[in-house]
Amino acid sequence: MVLVLCAYVVIGVLPRIFFKGGSFNSGWWLTGAPFFCVPPFLIAADLAHWHSWVGMHNMVVTLDSIAAVLTGASIALLFYTLGTHRVPLALWHQEDDAPVSIVTYGAYSRIRHPFYSSFLLAFLGSFALFPHLGTLLPMLYAIGRLTATAMREEKRLSASEFGSEYREYISKTGRFLPI
């Protein structure tokens, strides 16, 4: 549980320590909503001794291990992605953000959106830790919102001065998973 909550803390401080400028507009809040829902839900479920969908003790231990691996991968990918960048990125959903370069090395060499991949791994870890509608629905919502955000970013990059380079990059990398 501590590792999962730490992942959300690290994700939560990104807008303040890494991303540049921008405003917390409605698109940002809609995308960020599940990040604000899952940690309090997990804490409440633990404190209230709610039951997940899994009741067998040996299965819970296995899911805890899976949650630790997924969450550890989330944190590692997040820091690897941070280390890849030489300059901060724009905060999500900023309509006036124009690309100044294409990053295709480091964490981006196999995944086009490694930050989003790390976020999704955190949600998968949360669901593995506590399989319940309270973790499943926010995870599904996050998948939809992050996919829509990634698609919008990809469209904008494809239409930019880096369009041909970016379209070639798209053909060699996966959106959230390495190909």
Side-chain angles (χ1 to χ4, degrees), residues 18 76 85 94 103 164 168:
F18 178 73
H85 286 278
Q94 306 305 304
V103 179
S164 62
E168 182 181 335

Side-chain angles (χ1 to χ4, degrees), residues 5-168:
L5 295 176
C6 285
Y8 285 101
V9 168
V10 172
I11 292 168
V13 299
L14 281 177
R16 294 290 180 208
I17 65 168
F18 178 73
F19 293 100
K20 66 176 180 174
S23 64
F24 294 104
N25 59 28
S26 61
W28 188 92
W29 286 104
L30 287 170
T31 301
F35 296 94
F36 297 109
C37 296
V38 171
F41 174 80
L42 289 173
I43 292 168
D46 189 53
L47 293 175
H49 304 291
W50 293 342
H51 298 287
S52 73
W53 292 338
V54 179
M56 299 178 295
H57 177 70
N58 58 345
M59 186 63 172
V60 171
V61 172
T62 301
L63 288 176
D64 285 352
S65 299
I66 292 169
V69 169
L70 290 168
T71 305
S74 168
I75 293 169
L77 180 57
L78 195 142
F79 280 108
Y80 180 42
T81 305
L82 281 170
T84 298
H85 286 278
R86 296 185 178 112
V87 296
L89 298 175
L91 195 60
W92 307 329
H93 303 289
Q94 306 305 304
E95 295 304 322
D96 60 347
D97 177 41
V100 294
S101 67
I102 302 285
V103 179
T104 59
Y105 51 88
Y108 292 85
S109 64
R110 311 251 326 172
I111 303 171
R112 293 194 302 270
H113 302 279
F115 273 125
Y116 298 170
S117 295
S118 71
F119 301 164
L120 295 174
L121 284 168
F123 283 111
L124 285 169
S126 299
F127 182 70
L129 179 69
F130 195 75
H132 189 278
L133 278 177
T135 54
L136 176 64
L137 294 178
M139 178 180 69
L140 294 175
Y141 176 82
I143 291 168
R145 286 296 299 185
L146 291 172
T147 299
T149 301
M151 290 172 67
R152 193 181 77 251
E153 290 172 0
E154 290 170 358
K155 184 178 178 182
R156 188 181 328 188
L157 284 164
S158 292
S160 76
E161 64 182 286
F162 306 104
S164 62
E165 179 186 353
Y166 191 72
R167 287 186 294 278
E168 182 181 335

